[in-house]
Amino acid sequence: MTTLQDISVWRGNSLPPIEWTWADGYAGTAQCQLTVWRRGKRLFTVDSGAGLTIDPYGRRFIWEPTVDQSRQLPLGRLCDYELEDRVGGEQTLFAGAVIGIGGLNLDDGATQPGGSLDFSYTGNTDQELDGWI
């Protein structure tokens, strides 16, 4: 059974990690996958052992988003995620919204994307005008 749980990610940061506690009766597996998408378009996928930690003793999954992954998230509740068990068929364990909070923490000297009406910023293409919804 899928557990619905929204998560908040501080944009431009790799901390704090996001944790999901296993439901009673779940035995765990070594093959899980976290997928984050926005309006049907996949932003990124994180596999167990490559960014998604499986802690069988603490009975939890832990994801420490990379700075690049967190910068891909728009401000607000505009993305969704699924955390799936990939053994014996795909079973969605957790799902919900990804809420991008805070700024982009542009400490690498990069420039911030244009304003909310700037169509050079890819988040505002296709007449979506994120920030004006």
Side-chain angles (χ1 to χ4, degrees):
M1 181 169 184
T2 303
T3 301
L4 299 177
Q5 178 181 334
D6 294 347
I7 59 173
S8 296
V9 177
W10 196 268
R11 301 176 331 134
N13 288 270
S14 58
L15 295 173
I18 309 299
E19 296 184 10
W20 295 268
T21 303
W22 298 354
D24 290 338
Y26 179 70
T29 181
Q31 295 180 354
C32 289
Q33 185 177 71
L34 171 70
T35 304
V36 176
W37 70 90
R38 177 175 175 228
R39 293 189 174 103
K41 179 183 175 190
R42 184 176 56 84
L43 293 180
F44 54 86
T45 300
V46 182
D47 292 314
S48 51
L52 180 64
T53 303
I54 300 171
D55 178 9
Y57 303 106
R59 299 185 45 79
R60 62 190 176 154
F61 299 104
I62 305 167
W63 171 49
E64 288 187 35
T66 64
V67 171
D68 181 57
Q69 289 167 343
S70 67
R71 284 187 176 144
Q72 291 181 54
L73 301 172
L75 186 62
R77 184 186 296 263
L78 297 174
C79 294
D80 297 299
Y81 80 92
E82 281 189 353
L83 198 155
E84 298 174 304
D85 184 333
R86 308 289 284 182
V87 174
E90 298 176 19
Q91 174 188 1
T92 300
L93 303 173
F94 294 91
V98 180
I99 304 163
I101 58 175
L104 287 177
N105 190 15
L106 297 171
D107 53 4
D108 65 353
T111 58
Q112 188 163 1
S116 53
L117 289 176
D118 184 354
F119 282 95
S120 65
Y121 171 48
T122 57
N124 291 332
T125 58
D126 299 328
Q127 297 148 353
E128 293 172 1
L129 296 174
D130 290 347
W132 287 87
I133 338 183

